[in-house]
């Protein structure tokens, strides 16, 4: 390593600081370890195997009324547009495709698109056509993304998706089935045990 590269590296480490560096190393090591553990063990380590809180009575008290949820339609394909790039995905969809740009894939895992469907329904009084696929998409995400596997369990995608799921379940408690609530609880436990710090 020549002197100029060594000097730049030293400056970078000073700018980062020992505390941020230690947190980053701990986060990366935890991620690597989680990928080597069976999902059930990794989840138990986070506390996600504990009893799911009894959220349903609270959600029912917050339910939005006056808007019918669309009838379930058998899924065949679903399309998403993120970052000005459209992908039409066959069912069951692949949530982690190495051929997609990673940021595009992150957008898929955020479930911001589901919140957009919700906002459209609240503003216009009707759901988009694709919103009829929301229930199978929720269930398919749970089935296809075991704890700690894939971009769906990255702290950033987790933080956005859990917020969006809470909005959906708060607005329409009929979406909050026991398996979906259990998954939400597991995701929150995982997020708490895998913090990413800005400073």
């Amino acid at each position: 390593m020549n002197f100029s590269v060594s000097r730049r590296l030293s400056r970078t480490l000073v700018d980062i600081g020992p505390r941020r560096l230690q947190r980053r190393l701990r986060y990366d090591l935890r991620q690597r370890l989680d990928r080597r553990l069976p999902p059930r063990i990794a989840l138990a380590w986070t506390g996600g195997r504990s009893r799911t809180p009894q959220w349903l009575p609270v959600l029912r008290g917050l339910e939005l009324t006056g808007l019918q949820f669309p009838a379930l339609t058998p899924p065949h394909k679903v399309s998403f547009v993120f970052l000005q790039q459209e992908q039409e995905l066959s069912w069951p969809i692949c949530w982690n495709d190495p051929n997609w740009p990673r940021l595009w894939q992150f957008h898929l895992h955020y479930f911001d698109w589901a919140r957009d469907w919700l906002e459209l329904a609240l503003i216009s009084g009707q759901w988009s056509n694709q919103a009829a696929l929301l229930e199978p998409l929720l269930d398919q995400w749970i089935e296809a993304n075991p704890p700690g596997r894939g971009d769906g369990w990255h702290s950033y995608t987790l933080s956005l998706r859990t917020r969006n799921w809470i909005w959906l379940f708060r607005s329409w408690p009929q979406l909050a089935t026991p398996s979906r609530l259990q998954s939400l609880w597991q995701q929150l436990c995982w997020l708490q045990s895998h913090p990413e710090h800005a400073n």
Side-chain angles (χ1 to χ4, degrees):
M1 186 181 302
N2 66 37
F3 179 73
S4 64
V5 172
S6 175
R7 194 170 171 191
R8 275 188 302 221
L9 178 59
S10 298
R11 280 188 193 159
T12 301
L13 291 174
V14 168
D15 287 344
I16 292 171
R19 190 172 181 189
R20 283 174 62 193
L21 184 60
Q22 183 259 344
R23 285 175 171 169
R24 184 75 238 178
L25 289 171
R26 186 174 58 192
Y27 179 81
D28 288 344
L29 286 171
R30 180 74 185 268
Q31 292 273 61
R32 288 170 192 246
L33 178 60
D34 288 333
R35 284 194 290 272
R36 285 169 173 73
L37 291 173
R40 289 174 63 90
I41 294 174
L43 186 62
W45 192 11
T46 68
R49 306 255 331 142
S50 60
R51 188 173 177 191
T52 306
Q54 299 300 307
W55 286 325
L56 206 49
V58 176
L59 292 171
R60 286 189 179 130
L62 298 171
E63 181 176 9
L64 298 176
T65 56
L67 188 62
Q68 283 294 110
F69 196 75
L72 176 63
T73 59
H76 299 291
K77 290 186 177 180
V78 61
S79 63
F80 297 100
V81 181
F82 311 128
L83 308 171
Q84 300 178 340
Q85 181 180 358
E86 182 172 5
Q87 297 276 3
E88 187 174 66
L89 311 180
S90 299
W91 193 266
I93 72 171
C94 177
W95 293 90
N96 296 285
D97 190 327
N99 297 315
W100 298 337
R102 194 169 187 213
L103 185 55
W104 195 96
Q105 190 162 266
F106 267 42
H107 278 273
L108 181 65
H109 283 282
Y110 294 158
F111 272 71
D112 276 350
W113 42 268
R115 194 194 66 225
D116 292 341
W117 293 348
L118 171 61
E119 288 176 0
L120 175 65
L122 293 174
I123 293 167
S124 69
Q126 60 184 17
W127 288 90
S128 71
N129 292 335
Q130 288 202 127
L133 299 175
L134 183 54
E135 290 194 83
L137 282 167
L138 286 163
D139 294 333
Q140 216 262 324
W141 187 92
I142 295 168
E143 183 182 340
N145 293 277
R149 301 299 190 264
D151 284 334
W153 291 86
H154 186 282
S155 293
Y156 192 67
T157 57
L158 271 170
S159 63
L160 293 179
R161 185 179 54 257
T162 52
R163 178 199 63 187
N164 289 327
W165 281 28
I166 289 167
W167 267 107
L168 292 167
F169 296 166
R170 175 233 185 267
S171 302
W172 280 272
Q174 63 266 36
L175 290 175
T177 63
S179 64
R180 294 172 195 156
L181 286 175
Q182 182 184 39
S183 177
L184 176 62
W185 174 240
Q186 291 171 350
Q187 293 173 60
L188 290 168
C189 290
W190 191 278
L191 183 60
Q192 182 182 21
S193 69
H194 294 77
E196 276 201 281
H197 299 277
N199 51 35

